[in-house]
Amino acid sequence: EVDRSAFSFIMEEIDMSETLRRLQDKKMVMRSATSKLYYTHPLIREFCYQKLEDKNTVHLKATEYLRTIRQEKFAPLLEEEIFHHLFTGKYLEQAASFLSEKGEVFIMSGHTNFLKEMIGKVVHNGIERPEFYVFQGDIATIRGEWKDASVYFEKVFAFSDVHEKTLAEAYIKFGELLYKKGVVKESLKYFEDAYETCKDKGFRKEEARSINDIGLVYKFFGDLSLALSKLNAAFQIREDIGDKEGIAASLGNIGNVLETKGDLEGALNNYRKSLSVFEDIGYKEGIAASLNNIGNVLKTKGDLKGALNNYRKSLSVFEDIGYKEGIAEIGRASCRERV
């Protein structure tokens, strides 16, 4: 279903009133009684599409129109349609650039199946970009396929013309994978190497992430003061550059240190702030992690009903995005709850 403005844009006619009236009279186009949008029967659409002489140009115009109706909030279905028109119209380089630009947001919104499939289509047509393997590594990490994730990140290292920013991001995420596996000392080398590169090149978002991860390593080894110092430094950079995802992650990590130190109220305050930001940007993994963190604190405080409510909400989101590590964590928390 489309608005009347779509007809005007595609047909390059300012006033489509008469044309639409004739199309409706011939039952070629119908108007929805509820939404007031226009639509056509699939068989009519298929017949007209086959008659269309210059399909590729019309696909491109459809892409241009869809971009004009974008809203501030990311709309996955709209973006999927934009990619469909670029790819079907054989604008493969533009389709690849679209995935490079939007891949991270698709992952944040939990639409990983679409992204993985579309990357596969573009690569099958002979277009490879290092950031594709960063996205593939992210998706594999979410799904608990850590061996595959390692392979994807290592493919980024093998590119001869990879941009230093993308390479640093792959280094950080490979280090995070090592951290998850328990190879913490080895992960620190990747975080520190990435930090030096990012600081030198002015990649502030990645600089903040590497400092954040260095702080997590210090927390792992029990140096909470130094950990908190690193995490606060990362938070400050993220605030300076307006990195909402990073701000929310920093709030959660700082809350985790405070929780370890026994400051439950401080931790709970940070977790709730983190949840609010993640909800604002629609980052499902962050939402689920924040709910889980809140549940842990409430459980420690003796609010078992509140803890269970947050665990259930968290589990629902983790299951929705297929995040196996998160599902397992909720399972452990629930087991402890029953005991």
Side-chain angles (χ1 to χ4, degrees), residues 139-234:
I139 294 169
T141 301
I142 289 171
R143 297 178 179 179
E145 300 162 354
W146 289 356
K147 184 177 180 180
D148 290 344
S150 295
V151 171
Y152 285 128
F153 292 133
E154 287 170 346
K155 282 188 176 182
V156 180
F157 305 155
F159 269 81
S160 59
D161 58 345
V162 59
H163 191 281
E164 287 179 295
K165 188 175 182 179
T166 303
L167 184 61
E169 186 179 358
Y171 256 72
I172 293 168
K173 291 182 176 180
F174 188 82
E176 289 171 350
L177 201 59
L178 292 174
Y179 182 91
K180 290 174 184 289
K181 291 179 178 179
V183 193
V184 181
K185 282 187 178 180
E186 185 70 19
S187 73
L188 183 59
K189 297 177 184 177
Y190 284 88
F191 299 149
E192 290 178 336
D193 284 349
Y195 169 71
E196 292 300 328
T197 298
C198 295
K199 187 176 181 181
D200 181 55
K201 299 295 182 180
F203 306 146
R204 301 209 70 203
K205 182 177 179 180
E206 291 72 22
E207 178 188 353
R209 184 162 181 163
S210 57
I211 296 173
N212 172 84
D213 291 346
I214 291 169
L216 294 181
V217 171
Y218 284 121
K219 176 187 176 295
F220 179 87
F221 288 116
D223 192 339
L224 299 185
S225 296
L226 189 52
L228 203 56
S229 173
K230 296 291 185 183
L231 293 173
N232 279 318

Side-chain angles (χ1 to χ4, degrees), residues 212-306:
N212 172 84
D213 291 346
I214 291 169
L216 294 181
V217 171
Y218 284 121
K219 176 187 176 295
F220 179 87
F221 288 116
D223 192 339
L224 299 185
S225 296
L226 189 52
L228 203 56
S229 173
K230 296 291 185 183
L231 293 173
N232 279 318
F235 176 73
Q236 188 60 59
I237 294 174
R238 286 165 163 174
E239 272 207 321
D240 289 345
I241 64 176
D243 175 13
K244 288 188 175 182
E245 178 196 347
I247 289 170
S250 287
L251 286 167
N253 290 332
I254 292 169
N256 194 248
V257 173
L258 294 176
E259 183 181 354
T260 304
K261 295 177 73 172
D263 182 1
L264 298 184
E265 290 302 322
L268 193 58
N269 183 49
N270 274 272
Y271 291 152
R272 284 172 172 161
K273 287 181 180 178
S274 177
L275 174 61
S276 177
V277 178
F278 278 135
E279 287 178 333
D280 182 53
I281 62 176
Y283 187 14
K284 291 189 175 181
E285 181 187 331
I287 292 169
S290 297
L291 288 166
N292 184 43
N293 287 336
I294 292 169
N296 289 337
V297 174
L298 293 178
K299 181 187 172 195
T300 304
K301 289 166 65 71
D303 182 0
L304 301 186
K305 184 178 179 180

